[in-house]
């Protein structure tokens, strides 16, 4: 989540729901997953040497928690996490307080896209892999030609959520699963071959600053051996290097 946070808002604001998911777990259990750094690392971001420090910065030293209302707010950011009991399940949402009348329907906002990805990763961890350890691979950068990953992987016309899908154009011709979620700039699909894993593809559209746009891929796996994970990395690294440059998120 390397984009700059929204500036402080002067004047009237309106709450905008950036992402909302229903999770099959009690609210107190889900709330703990937003407060315990050891639990946060099982859904937030991806594996990097700096993940622990990033979690501590965002969720510990720069966060304030209202335990009674189950709301986390972040220092210097107009966004907040809310957890609401919904019978035996929970509703989790990220809400942004922004000037009344603001419309982001045609705008790519890196922080919003991060909240969407991570919140759906949280829902996936609870719904499909409660208490399990995830392993992730991550790729980020602009395409070498004018074609981003949703198109390259055949996901630009993905079926509706929960519908089956397969990967006819990617590095794993046999990869298949179900659509987990769809959003304007990203898609998440389950992948049976990764121990019932999750592939999240985020495409930033072309702009004056990034004329070819850019892509971020997060591959979440469960239960793979070190050898199988290494093979998966090599497979995707080769596919990626042929089609994309590698640049860290938020870097030019």
């Amino acid at each position: 989540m390397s984009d700059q946070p929204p500036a402080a808002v002067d004047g009237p604001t309106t709450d905008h729901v950036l992402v909302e998911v229903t999770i099959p777990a009690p609210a107190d259990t889900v709330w703990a997953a937003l407060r315990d750094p050891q639990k946060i690392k099982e859904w937030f971001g991806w594996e990097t040497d700096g993940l622990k420090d990033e979690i501590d910065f965002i969720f510990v030293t720069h966060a304030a928690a209202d335990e009674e209302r189950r709301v986390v707010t972040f220092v210097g950011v107009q966004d907040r996490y809310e957890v609401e009991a919904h019978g035996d399940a929970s509703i989790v949402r990220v809400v942004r307080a922004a000037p009344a009348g603001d419309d982001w329907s045609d705008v790519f906002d890196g922080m919003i896209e991060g909240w969407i990805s991570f919140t759906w990763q949280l829902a996936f961890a609870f719904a499909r892999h409660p208490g399990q350890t995830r392993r992730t691979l991550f790729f980020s950068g602009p395409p070498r030609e004018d074609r981003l990953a949703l198109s390259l992987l055949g996901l630009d016309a993905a079926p509706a959520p929960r519908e089956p899908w397969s990967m006819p154009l990617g590095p794993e011709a046999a990869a298949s699963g179900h659509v987990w979620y769809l959003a304007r700039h990203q898609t998440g699909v389950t992948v049976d071959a990764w121990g019932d894993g999750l592939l999240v593809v985020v495409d930033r559209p072309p702009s004056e600053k990034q004329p070819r746009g850019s892509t971020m891929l997060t591959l979440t796996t469960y239960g793979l051996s070190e050898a199988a994970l290494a093979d998966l990395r090599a497979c995707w690294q080769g596919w990626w290097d042929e089609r994309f440059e590698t640049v860290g998120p938020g870097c030019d």
Side-chain angles (χ1 to χ4, degrees):
M1 296 189 64
S2 54
D3 282 36
Q4 291 298 313
V9 176
D10 294 323
T13 63
T14 300
D15 280 349
H16 301 259
V17 177
L18 306 182
V19 57
E20 180 175 287
V21 300
T22 299
I23 294 177
D28 286 344
T29 302
V30 176
W31 175 246
L34 293 175
R35 303 306 305 136
D36 182 345
Q38 287 298 112
K39 299 182 187 300
I40 293 170
K41 74 180 181 65
E42 294 304 331
W43 60 269
F44 181 81
W46 50 85
E47 286 181 72
T48 67
D49 292 340
L51 179 60
K52 180 183 183 301
D53 291 341
E54 185 174 9
I55 289 172
D56 287 344
F57 182 88
I58 294 173
F59 287 92
V60 180
T61 62
H62 289 76
D66 184 329
E67 300 284 344
E68 184 175 352
R69 294 172 55 234
R70 300 191 191 94
V71 174
V72 181
T73 55
F74 304 98
V75 176
V77 178
Q78 303 300 322
D79 304 340
R80 65 183 185 270
Y81 259 114
E82 300 177 349
V83 179
E84 176 184 321
H86 186 64
D88 293 332
S90 306
I91 295 174
V92 177
R93 64 179 67 91
V94 181
V95 180
R96 173 171 293 182
D102 270 15
D103 180 10
W104 300 306
S105 59
D106 291 320
V107 176
F108 184 97
D109 181 308
M111 183 166 284
I112 292 176
E113 299 305 318
W115 288 136
I116 292 171
S117 297
F118 304 152
T119 304
W120 278 107
Q121 288 174 183
L122 170 69
F124 185 75
F126 267 104
R128 310 282 281 263
H129 298 280
Q132 296 181 33
T133 298
R134 69 170 185 164
R135 297 295 308 276
T136 62
L137 306 176
F138 179 77
F139 303 89
S140 173
R144 299 187 185 279
E145 299 180 357
D146 296 331
R147 196 173 178 194
L148 294 169
L150 286 172
S151 172
L152 287 168
L153 294 170
L155 293 174
D156 50 343
R162 307 303 183 262
E163 290 296 313
W165 77 281
S166 59
M167 187 185 294
L169 304 176
E172 296 179 270
S176 62
H178 290 79
V179 178
W180 184 242
Y181 72 92
L182 298 171
R184 181 173 178 80
H185 299 292
Q186 60 179 281
T187 296
V189 292
T190 69
V191 185
D192 297 336
W194 304 349
D196 181 37
L198 183 68
L199 169 65
V200 172
V201 183
V202 182
D203 279 350
R204 179 189 287 267
S207 63
E208 182 177 350
K209 187 175 182 180
Q210 293 183 309
R212 288 172 289 147
S214 64
T215 283
M216 292 192 299
L217 303 180
T218 306
L219 288 64
T220 295
T221 74
Y222 292 91
L224 297 188
S225 66
E226 289 298 325
L229 188 63
D231 287 345
L232 185 67
R233 182 188 300 277
C235 175
W236 278 83
Q237 190 72 61
W239 180 88
W240 178 268
D241 290 344
E242 185 176 331
R243 295 163 179 81
F244 291 86
E245 302 172 24
T246 296
V247 179
C251 300
D252 295 332

